[in-house]
Amino acid sequence: MATTLTSPTPAPGAAGEGPAARAPRRRTGSAGGRLLTILTWLLALVFFAPVLWMVTTSFKQENAAASTPPTFVFEPTLQQYADVLAQNAGPYFANSLIATGVSTLLVIALAVPAAYALSIRPVQKTSDVLFFFISTKMLPVVAVIMPIYVISGRLHVLDNVWTLVVLYTSMNLPIAVWMMRSFFQEVPSEVLEAAQMDGAGLMKTLRSVLIPMVAPGIAATALICVIFSWNEFFFALNLTAAKAATVPVFLMGTMTSEGLFLAKLSAASVLASLPVVLAGWAAQKQLVRGLSMGAVK
Amino acid sequence: MSTETAVRRGEGAGPASPEARRAARREGWSRRLPLLPALIFTIIVTQIPFAMTIWYSLRSWNLLRPDGETFVWFQNFVDIFADSTFRGAAVNSILITLGCVFASLILGTLFAILLDREFLGRGIVRTLLITPFLIMPAATSMLWSVSMLNPSFGLLNWVIGLVGIGPIDFTSQLPLFSVIMALVWQWTPFMMLLILAGLQAQPKDVLEAASLDGAGWGKTFLFVTLPQLRRYIELAVLLGAIYVVNTFDQIYLMTAGGPGTASANLPFYIYQRAFLGFDVGQAAAMGVVTVIATIIIATFALRLIFRSFDVKD
């Protein structure tokens, strides 16, 4: 523990944390520290192994993919990816893109003003409203699927991607309101008072002062919405058929109709997951912030 | 400007003159207006279907029976409480939720502690650890049920074979365990990120003071870090439970609730009754019971968290 107090200089491997890099707290350079680092790496690799295995399998031929014992050395092929793409995957990806993209935009458009009303100039009964929003998340989706199915049928919007847009918006809105509220609460009140002194109205204050300040929070919220919408399966399974089916439905189709074509299935899974995985990797810090809801304020 | 501030200060105290009252009303609406679109949207999209579910739950309505719908009051509720499969599904829901939340919280906390120090490749390790949360659950289900757990060529069976165990046909012999394993793998990163945020929000001077006082790592963690993590842990448990209790993908795609109904949870069983059994009334009644149970449990949990909210605000 003694080293902690004397060394404010970061360890040589401290990269990757950007401006928020902190001074090392624990025995970093010591033998114990090195051992801990090795242990961390090992655990991470074990935890990541299923993903690695999926990606590896997707580059195998089918007979190598389903061999006993597992094949570790093989000649990689792109055959499976070509097969998956040849299966007319395009419309599924387009539907997912619309459902995810539009619903995320809608969520942000609705959540930002709502969060403003719940934090900067709070309405009465703020905590009741917040509780109402989160309580809709406790409504199991299966409990409302029959009425939604019936209503969609009557409105002739079954197998329609815009139905998914509406449902995904309502699915993510409560969490988004909560997240955005906590980000708004981090804005110092002096900044808002200054804007008001300058005579800025609501829209002006939002546009030129608040939104730029909470932009990272908006990005974090949007990322969470994208993850949950892109991966959503239950509504898509029950409310879409040929026209509006999304990527998870496509994946399930590959799984059930083809039997066990493991390598092809892996390739389809990699393709289906890739957009969200890449987005999440690129915006990790926003993800950390988003999930911690602005430090649980 | 000055009148506006005055009105805002005087709010709740009952403004005196009519002009002041009008101004207060206008002020009230200008506060409420930004909230309304989100609130109205949420009410329409979530409450109308739920009200209809309650209505359906009071009716006998099976799409397979020709005699149509009749109003039966609470008969559906009486029936589902006599239904042992429903009880089994409820128990499975509880087991899956508790098992997954508890295990992923422990594992996530461990990973968060390991990540909360500077070391070579920390960014890469964090990237590796968050990936399961980003992978599509439908793909996760496939990955676990086939690639990892298949008795003849699954990777996990090969690994346990190295130490002389198995092969185990996980998804049919240990269906619940298999589902929980896949869910823990998916939700551990979520817990890890929340706990990590909590660890990094700790004031450093407190930790230094603790180490100056000669507290070892264990003591510091137990008496300084853990109490400060409380809200993060509460939030992780609440949000994790809300999502995990609704688990459908893994059960549908890994075990289909089987063998028999051994691994069916409430969402999956309700889905079965509604879309495979076409028993709308029964399914609706189960939905209503699930909602009531969830809200009772969650209100209890949420009020706890709100208490810590209010102290801070």
mmCIF file of all heavy atoms in Angstrom, chain A residues 51-90:
data_model
loop_
_atom_site.group_PDB
_atom_site.id
_atom_site.type_symbol
_atom_site.label_atom_id
_atom_site.label_comp_id
_atom_site.label_asym_id
_atom_site.label_seq_id
_atom_site.Cartn_x
_atom_site.Cartn_y
_atom_site.Cartn_z
ATOM 1 N N VAL A 51 -17.729 -15.854 -27.654
ATOM 2 C CA VAL A 51 -17.802 -14.962 -28.815
ATOM 3 C C VAL A 51 -16.727 -15.341 -29.822
ATOM 4 O O VAL A 51 -16.980 -15.463 -31.023
ATOM 5 C CB VAL A 51 -17.616 -13.485 -28.397
ATOM 6 C CG1 VAL A 51 -17.726 -12.576 -29.604
ATOM 7 C CG2 VAL A 51 -18.628 -13.097 -27.350
ATOM 8 N N LEU A 52 -15.529 -15.555 -29.287
ATOM 9 C CA LEU A 52 -14.409 -15.922 -30.141
ATOM 10 C C LEU A 52 -14.722 -17.211 -30.896
ATOM 11 O O LEU A 52 -14.453 -17.344 -32.085
ATOM 12 C CB LEU A 52 -13.166 -16.110 -29.255
ATOM 13 C CG LEU A 52 -11.820 -16.016 -29.948
ATOM 14 C CD1 LEU A 52 -11.644 -14.630 -30.548
ATOM 15 C CD2 LEU A 52 -10.700 -16.322 -28.964
ATOM 16 N N TRP A 53 -15.345 -18.135 -30.172
ATOM 17 C CA TRP A 53 -15.691 -19.429 -30.766
ATOM 18 C C TRP A 53 -16.729 -19.262 -31.871
ATOM 19 O O TRP A 53 -16.661 -19.884 -32.918
ATOM 20 C CB TRP A 53 -16.208 -20.366 -29.665
ATOM 21 C CG TRP A 53 -16.350 -21.792 -30.123
ATOM 22 C CD1 TRP A 53 -17.494 -22.505 -30.184
ATOM 23 C CD2 TRP A 53 -15.308 -22.659 -30.571
ATOM 24 N NE1 TRP A 53 -17.246 -23.764 -30.649
ATOM 25 C CE2 TRP A 53 -15.908 -23.886 -30.898
ATOM 26 C CE3 TRP A 53 -13.918 -22.506 -30.750
ATOM 27 C CZ2 TRP A 53 -15.175 -24.965 -31.391
ATOM 28 C CZ3 TRP A 53 -13.195 -23.581 -31.241
ATOM 29 C CH2 TRP A 53 -13.818 -24.795 -31.545
ATOM 30 N N MET A 54 -17.689 -18.382 -31.632
ATOM 31 C CA MET A 54 -18.725 -18.120 -32.636
ATOM 32 C C MET A 54 -18.092 -17.543 -33.905
ATOM 33 O O MET A 54 -18.413 -17.975 -35.022
ATOM 34 C CB MET A 54 -19.760 -17.144 -32.067
ATOM 35 C CG MET A 54 -20.835 -16.712 -33.046
ATOM 36 S SD MET A 54 -22.161 -15.791 -32.241
ATOM 37 C CE MET A 54 -21.432 -14.168 -32.126
ATOM 38 N N VAL A 55 -17.207 -16.565 -33.711
ATOM 39 C CA VAL A 55 -16.563 -15.942 -34.864
ATOM 40 C C VAL A 55 -15.703 -16.965 -35.597
ATOM 41 O O VAL A 55 -15.742 -17.070 -36.830
ATOM 42 C CB VAL A 55 -15.725 -14.718 -34.426
ATOM 43 C CG1 VAL A 55 -14.988 -14.120 -35.614
ATOM 44 C CG2 VAL A 55 -16.623 -13.669 -33.778
ATOM 45 N N THR A 56 -14.949 -17.754 -34.828
ATOM 46 C CA THR A 56 -14.109 -18.793 -35.444
ATOM 47 C C THR A 56 -14.956 -19.762 -36.257
ATOM 48 O O THR A 56 -14.646 -20.070 -37.412
ATOM 49 C CB THR A 56 -13.364 -19.586 -34.345
ATOM 50 O OG1 THR A 56 -12.820 -18.661 -33.413
ATOM 51 C CG2 THR A 56 -12.260 -20.420 -34.927
ATOM 52 N N THR A 57 -16.040 -20.224 -35.635
ATOM 53 C CA THR A 57 -16.897 -21.209 -36.307
ATOM 54 C C THR A 57 -17.460 -20.670 -37.622
ATOM 55 O O THR A 57 -17.640 -21.412 -38.578
ATOM 56 C CB THR A 57 -18.056 -21.614 -35.374
ATOM 57 O OG1 THR A 57 -17.513 -22.001 -34.124
ATOM 58 C CG2 THR A 57 -18.858 -22.759 -35.950
ATOM 59 N N SER A 58 -17.713 -19.352 -37.632
ATOM 60 C CA SER A 58 -18.332 -18.784 -38.833
ATOM 61 C C SER A 58 -17.397 -18.835 -40.036
ATOM 62 O O SER A 58 -17.847 -18.689 -41.160
ATOM 63 C CB SER A 58 -18.764 -17.343 -38.554
ATOM 64 O OG SER A 58 -17.636 -16.506 -38.464
ATOM 65 N N PHE A 59 -16.107 -19.036 -39.789
ATOM 66 C CA PHE A 59 -15.156 -19.113 -40.906
ATOM 67 C C PHE A 59 -14.803 -20.552 -41.263
ATOM 68 O O PHE A 59 -13.870 -20.812 -42.003
ATOM 69 C CB PHE A 59 -13.870 -18.348 -40.561
ATOM 70 C CG PHE A 59 -14.068 -16.857 -40.521
ATOM 71 C CD1 PHE A 59 -14.018 -16.176 -39.307
ATOM 72 C CD2 PHE A 59 -14.324 -16.130 -41.672
ATOM 73 C CE1 PHE A 59 -14.208 -14.809 -39.251
ATOM 74 C CE2 PHE A 59 -14.513 -14.762 -41.629
ATOM 75 C CZ PHE A 59 -14.461 -14.096 -40.411
ATOM 76 N N LYS A 60 -15.545 -21.524 -40.680
ATOM 77 C CA LYS A 60 -15.239 -22.929 -40.949
ATOM 78 C C LYS A 60 -16.170 -23.496 -42.017
ATOM 79 O O LYS A 60 -17.226 -22.937 -42.285
ATOM 80 C CB LYS A 60 -15.424 -23.751 -39.667
ATOM 81 C CG LYS A 60 -14.369 -23.521 -38.598
ATOM 82 C CD LYS A 60 -14.716 -24.344 -37.370
ATOM 83 C CE LYS A 60 -13.738 -24.074 -36.245
ATOM 84 N NZ LYS A 60 -14.163 -24.729 -34.994
ATOM 85 N N GLN A 61 -15.775 -24.640 -42.562
ATOM 86 C CA GLN A 61 -16.714 -25.438 -43.345
ATOM 87 C C GLN A 61 -17.601 -26.194 -42.371
ATOM 88 O O GLN A 61 -17.190 -26.443 -41.237
ATOM 89 C CB GLN A 61 -15.968 -26.430 -44.241
ATOM 90 C CG GLN A 61 -15.015 -25.800 -45.244
ATOM 91 C CD GLN A 61 -15.739 -25.123 -46.405
ATOM 92 O OE1 GLN A 61 -16.971 -25.048 -46.425
ATOM 93 N NE2 GLN A 61 -14.981 -24.597 -47.354
ATOM 94 N N GLU A 62 -18.791 -26.595 -42.795
ATOM 95 C CA GLU A 62 -19.728 -27.224 -41.873
ATOM 96 C C GLU A 62 -19.148 -28.454 -41.167
ATOM 97 O O GLU A 62 -19.345 -28.643 -39.981
ATOM 98 C CB GLU A 62 -21.022 -27.609 -42.583
ATOM 99 C CG GLU A 62 -21.922 -26.431 -42.942
ATOM 100 C CD GLU A 62 -22.394 -25.618 -41.746
ATOM 101 O OE1 GLU A 62 -22.275 -26.065 -40.601
ATOM 102 O OE2 GLU A 62 -22.889 -24.489 -41.962
ATOM 103 N N ASN A 63 -18.436 -29.322 -41.914
ATOM 104 C CA ASN A 63 -17.953 -30.544 -41.264
ATOM 105 C C ASN A 63 -16.916 -30.251 -40.191
ATOM 106 O O ASN A 63 -16.833 -30.953 -39.190
ATOM 107 C CB ASN A 63 -17.426 -31.550 -42.302
ATOM 108 C CG ASN A 63 -16.346 -30.936 -43.170
ATOM 109 O OD1 ASN A 63 -16.028 -29.753 -43.013
ATOM 110 N ND2 ASN A 63 -15.779 -31.713 -44.072
ATOM 111 N N ALA A 64 -16.148 -29.164 -40.366
ATOM 112 C CA ALA A 64 -15.178 -28.776 -39.338
ATOM 113 C C ALA A 64 -15.879 -28.134 -38.149
ATOM 114 O O ALA A 64 -15.425 -28.228 -37.011
ATOM 115 C CB ALA A 64 -14.152 -27.804 -39.914
ATOM 116 N N ALA A 65 -17.015 -27.479 -38.420
ATOM 117 C CA ALA A 65 -17.722 -26.764 -37.357
ATOM 118 C C ALA A 65 -18.355 -27.730 -36.368
ATOM 119 O O ALA A 65 -18.402 -27.462 -35.172
ATOM 120 C CB ALA A 65 -18.793 -25.865 -37.962
ATOM 121 N N ALA A 66 -18.844 -28.882 -36.878
ATOM 122 C CA ALA A 66 -19.562 -29.804 -35.997
ATOM 123 C C ALA A 66 -18.751 -31.060 -35.734
ATOM 124 O O ALA A 66 -19.285 -32.147 -35.647
ATOM 125 C CB ALA A 66 -20.911 -30.157 -36.613
ATOM 126 N N SER A 67 -17.457 -30.901 -35.588
ATOM 127 C CA SER A 67 -16.619 -32.081 -35.378
ATOM 128 C C SER A 67 -16.413 -32.357 -33.892
ATOM 129 O O SER A 67 -16.511 -31.470 -33.069
ATOM 130 C CB SER A 67 -15.261 -31.877 -36.045
ATOM 131 O OG SER A 67 -14.552 -30.872 -35.342
ATOM 132 N N THR A 68 -16.160 -33.641 -33.587
ATOM 133 C CA THR A 68 -15.810 -34.008 -32.231
ATOM 134 C C THR A 68 -14.452 -34.689 -32.275
ATOM 135 O O THR A 68 -14.322 -35.680 -33.006
ATOM 136 C CB THR A 68 -16.832 -35.021 -31.665
ATOM 137 O OG1 THR A 68 -18.115 -34.653 -32.121
ATOM 138 C CG2 THR A 68 -16.764 -35.109 -30.171
ATOM 139 N N PRO A 69 -13.456 -34.256 -31.534
ATOM 140 C CA PRO A 69 -13.397 -33.032 -30.739
ATOM 141 C C PRO A 69 -13.376 -31.781 -31.627
ATOM 142 O O PRO A 69 -13.162 -31.908 -32.830
ATOM 143 C CB PRO A 69 -12.067 -33.191 -29.988
ATOM 144 C CG PRO A 69 -11.225 -34.046 -30.871
ATOM 145 C CD PRO A 69 -12.179 -34.981 -31.536
ATOM 146 N N PRO A 70 -13.558 -30.614 -31.035
ATOM 147 C CA PRO A 70 -13.615 -29.377 -31.829
ATOM 148 C C PRO A 70 -12.346 -29.141 -32.645
ATOM 149 O O PRO A 70 -11.254 -29.494 -32.212
ATOM 150 C CB PRO A 70 -13.748 -28.279 -30.760
ATOM 151 C CG PRO A 70 -14.228 -28.969 -29.549
ATOM 152 C CD PRO A 70 -13.749 -30.374 -29.602
ATOM 153 N N THR A 71 -12.537 -28.553 -33.807
ATOM 154 C CA THR A 71 -11.404 -28.239 -34.676
ATOM 155 C C THR A 71 -10.841 -26.869 -34.316
ATOM 156 O O THR A 71 -11.593 -25.905 -34.236
ATOM 157 C CB THR A 71 -11.871 -28.179 -36.144
ATOM 158 O OG1 THR A 71 -12.759 -29.255 -36.363
ATOM 159 C CG2 THR A 71 -10.715 -28.249 -37.087
ATOM 160 N N PHE A 72 -9.539 -26.819 -34.070
ATOM 161 C CA PHE A 72 -8.935 -25.521 -33.775
ATOM 162 C C PHE A 72 -8.090 -25.010 -34.926
ATOM 163 O O PHE A 72 -7.874 -23.813 -35.052
ATOM 164 C CB PHE A 72 -8.096 -25.608 -32.498
ATOM 165 C CG PHE A 72 -8.931 -25.850 -31.270
ATOM 166 C CD1 PHE A 72 -9.093 -27.119 -30.753
ATOM 167 C CD2 PHE A 72 -9.572 -24.784 -30.657
ATOM 168 C CE1 PHE A 72 -9.880 -27.330 -29.633
ATOM 169 C CE2 PHE A 72 -10.360 -24.994 -29.539
ATOM 170 C CZ PHE A 72 -10.513 -26.264 -29.023
ATOM 171 N N VAL A 73 -7.605 -25.933 -35.748
ATOM 172 C CA VAL A 73 -6.811 -25.513 -36.898
ATOM 173 C C VAL A 73 -7.603 -25.835 -38.160
ATOM 174 O O VAL A 73 -8.045 -26.971 -38.333
ATOM 175 C CB VAL A 73 -5.452 -26.235 -36.928
ATOM 176 C CG1 VAL A 73 -4.614 -25.724 -38.091
ATOM 177 C CG2 VAL A 73 -4.729 -26.034 -35.608
ATOM 178 N N PHE A 74 -7.818 -24.842 -38.989
ATOM 179 C CA PHE A 74 -8.627 -25.073 -40.192
ATOM 180 C C PHE A 74 -8.305 -23.991 -41.203
ATOM 181 O O PHE A 74 -7.671 -22.988 -40.873
ATOM 182 C CB PHE A 74 -10.119 -25.027 -39.839
ATOM 183 C CG PHE A 74 -10.554 -23.708 -39.279
ATOM 184 C CD1 PHE A 74 -11.124 -22.742 -40.085
ATOM 185 C CD2 PHE A 74 -10.369 -23.419 -37.915
ATOM 186 C CE1 PHE A 74 -11.513 -21.517 -39.568
ATOM 187 C CE2 PHE A 74 -10.753 -22.197 -37.406
ATOM 188 C CZ PHE A 74 -11.323 -21.254 -38.224
ATOM 189 N N GLU A 75 -8.752 -24.203 -42.413
ATOM 190 C CA GLU A 75 -8.545 -23.197 -43.453
ATOM 191 C C GLU A 75 -9.764 -22.292 -43.513
ATOM 192 O O GLU A 75 -10.864 -22.757 -43.817
ATOM 193 C CB GLU A 75 -8.337 -23.892 -44.794
ATOM 194 C CG GLU A 75 -7.576 -23.033 -45.773
ATOM 195 C CD GLU A 75 -7.113 -23.863 -46.967
ATOM 196 O OE1 GLU A 75 -6.503 -24.935 -46.737
ATOM 197 O OE2 GLU A 75 -7.403 -23.450 -48.098
ATOM 198 N N PRO A 76 -9.590 -21.015 -43.198
ATOM 199 C CA PRO A 76 -10.767 -20.147 -43.119
ATOM 200 C C PRO A 76 -11.439 -19.945 -44.477
ATOM 201 O O PRO A 76 -10.768 -19.890 -45.508
ATOM 202 C CB PRO A 76 -10.203 -18.819 -42.596
ATOM 203 C CG PRO A 76 -8.749 -18.885 -42.821
ATOM 204 C CD PRO A 76 -8.345 -20.316 -42.850
ATOM 205 N N THR A 77 -12.777 -19.856 -44.429
ATOM 206 C CA THR A 77 -13.523 -19.635 -45.667
ATOM 207 C C THR A 77 -14.599 -18.582 -45.424
ATOM 208 O O THR A 77 -15.097 -18.436 -44.310
ATOM 209 C CB THR A 77 -14.189 -20.944 -46.136
ATOM 210 O OG1 THR A 77 -15.119 -20.621 -47.163
ATOM 211 C CG2 THR A 77 -14.953 -21.619 -45.001
ATOM 212 N N LEU A 78 -14.923 -17.858 -46.474
ATOM 213 C CA LEU A 78 -15.997 -16.862 -46.357
ATOM 214 C C LEU A 78 -17.310 -17.424 -46.892
ATOM 215 O O LEU A 78 -18.307 -16.714 -47.009
ATOM 216 C CB LEU A 78 -15.625 -15.589 -47.116
ATOM 217 C CG LEU A 78 -14.591 -14.697 -46.434
ATOM 218 C CD1 LEU A 78 -14.195 -13.548 -47.351
ATOM 219 C CD2 LEU A 78 -15.116 -14.147 -45.114
ATOM 220 N N GLN A 79 -17.275 -18.729 -47.204
ATOM 221 C CA GLN A 79 -18.430 -19.386 -47.804
ATOM 222 C C GLN A 79 -19.728 -19.138 -47.029
ATOM 223 O O GLN A 79 -20.769 -18.826 -47.601
ATOM 224 C CB GLN A 79 -18.149 -20.898 -47.875
ATOM 225 C CG GLN A 79 -19.211 -21.700 -48.584
ATOM 226 C CD GLN A 79 -19.398 -21.235 -50.022
ATOM 227 O OE1 GLN A 79 -18.429 -20.969 -50.720
ATOM 228 N NE2 GLN A 79 -20.641 -21.105 -50.442
ATOM 229 N N GLN A 80 -19.659 -19.268 -45.685
ATOM 230 C CA GLN A 80 -20.873 -19.154 -44.869
ATOM 231 C C GLN A 80 -21.478 -17.756 -44.972
ATOM 232 O O GLN A 80 -22.693 -17.609 -45.053
ATOM 233 C CB GLN A 80 -20.583 -19.480 -43.407
ATOM 234 C CG GLN A 80 -19.758 -20.744 -43.200
ATOM 235 C CD GLN A 80 -20.362 -21.944 -43.878
ATOM 236 O OE1 GLN A 80 -21.552 -21.990 -44.152
ATOM 237 N NE2 GLN A 80 -19.525 -22.930 -44.182
ATOM 238 N N TYR A 81 -20.606 -16.750 -44.964
ATOM 239 C CA TYR A 81 -21.114 -15.380 -45.069
ATOM 240 C C TYR A 81 -21.786 -15.164 -46.418
ATOM 241 O O TYR A 81 -22.847 -14.542 -46.507
ATOM 242 C CB TYR A 81 -19.974 -14.380 -44.850
ATOM 243 C CG TYR A 81 -19.559 -14.289 -43.405
ATOM 244 C CD1 TYR A 81 -18.545 -15.080 -42.893
ATOM 245 C CD2 TYR A 81 -20.221 -13.421 -42.542
ATOM 246 C CE1 TYR A 81 -18.184 -15.014 -41.557
ATOM 247 C CE2 TYR A 81 -19.870 -13.340 -41.207
ATOM 248 C CZ TYR A 81 -18.848 -14.142 -40.715
ATOM 249 O OH TYR A 81 -18.513 -14.071 -39.401
ATOM 250 N N ALA A 82 -21.156 -15.699 -47.468
ATOM 251 C CA ALA A 82 -21.749 -15.572 -48.800
ATOM 252 C C ALA A 82 -23.121 -16.240 -48.817
ATOM 253 O O ALA A 82 -24.091 -15.697 -49.354
ATOM 254 C CB ALA A 82 -20.818 -16.205 -49.837
ATOM 255 N N ASP A 83 -23.208 -17.436 -48.211
ATOM 256 C CA ASP A 83 -24.485 -18.162 -48.183
ATOM 257 C C ASP A 83 -25.563 -17.369 -47.458
ATOM 258 O O ASP A 83 -26.711 -17.291 -47.904
ATOM 259 C CB ASP A 83 -24.313 -19.518 -47.485
ATOM 260 C CG ASP A 83 -23.625 -20.519 -48.384
ATOM 261 O OD1 ASP A 83 -23.358 -20.154 -49.551
ATOM 262 O OD2 ASP A 83 -23.340 -21.641 -47.924
ATOM 263 N N VAL A 84 -25.191 -16.797 -46.305
ATOM 264 C CA VAL A 84 -26.176 -16.043 -45.522
ATOM 265 C C VAL A 84 -26.670 -14.841 -46.316
ATOM 266 O O VAL A 84 -27.874 -14.593 -46.420
ATOM 267 C CB VAL A 84 -25.566 -15.570 -44.181
ATOM 268 C CG1 VAL A 84 -26.516 -14.613 -43.477
ATOM 269 C CG2 VAL A 84 -25.264 -16.772 -43.297
ATOM 270 N N LEU A 85 -25.730 -14.129 -46.923
ATOM 271 C CA LEU A 85 -26.126 -12.928 -47.658
ATOM 272 C C LEU A 85 -26.950 -13.286 -48.892
ATOM 273 O O LEU A 85 -27.826 -12.523 -49.300
ATOM 274 C CB LEU A 85 -24.889 -12.120 -48.042
ATOM 275 C CG LEU A 85 -24.177 -11.484 -46.835
ATOM 276 C CD1 LEU A 85 -22.874 -10.813 -47.269
ATOM 277 C CD2 LEU A 85 -25.084 -10.468 -46.138
ATOM 278 N N ALA A 86 -26.682 -14.458 -49.449
ATOM 279 C CA ALA A 86 -27.439 -14.897 -50.621
ATOM 280 C C ALA A 86 -28.875 -15.247 -50.260
ATOM 281 O O ALA A 86 -29.723 -15.422 -51.123
ATOM 282 C CB ALA A 86 -26.753 -16.101 -51.265
ATOM 283 N N GLN A 87 -29.138 -15.355 -48.958
ATOM 284 C CA GLN A 87 -30.473 -15.729 -48.507
ATOM 285 C C GLN A 87 -31.423 -14.541 -48.455
ATOM 286 O O GLN A 87 -32.426 -14.590 -47.759
ATOM 287 C CB GLN A 87 -30.371 -16.307 -47.098
ATOM 288 C CG GLN A 87 -30.673 -17.767 -47.055
ATOM 289 C CD GLN A 87 -30.601 -18.259 -45.642
ATOM 290 O OE1 GLN A 87 -29.916 -17.682 -44.793
ATOM 291 N NE2 GLN A 87 -31.312 -19.316 -45.357
ATOM 292 N N ASN A 88 -31.067 -13.479 -49.105
ATOM 293 C CA ASN A 88 -31.925 -12.301 -49.122
ATOM 294 C C ASN A 88 -32.093 -11.688 -47.736
ATOM 295 O O ASN A 88 -33.205 -11.476 -47.258
ATOM 296 C CB ASN A 88 -33.291 -12.654 -49.720
ATOM 297 C CG ASN A 88 -33.994 -11.420 -50.232
ATOM 298 O OD1 ASN A 88 -33.351 -10.387 -50.441
ATOM 299 N ND2 ASN A 88 -35.299 -11.519 -50.408
ATOM 300 N N ALA A 89 -30.959 -11.458 -47.076
ATOM 301 C CA ALA A 89 -30.998 -10.896 -45.726
ATOM 302 C C ALA A 89 -31.288 -9.398 -45.750
ATOM 303 O O ALA A 89 -31.678 -8.833 -44.730
ATOM 304 C CB ALA A 89 -29.668 -11.154 -45.017
ATOM 305 N N GLY A 90 -31.125 -8.773 -46.914
ATOM 306 C CA GLY A 90 -31.247 -7.317 -47.022
ATOM 307 C C GLY A 90 -32.483 -6.709 -46.393
ATOM 308 O O GLY A 90 -32.379 -5.827 -45.549
#
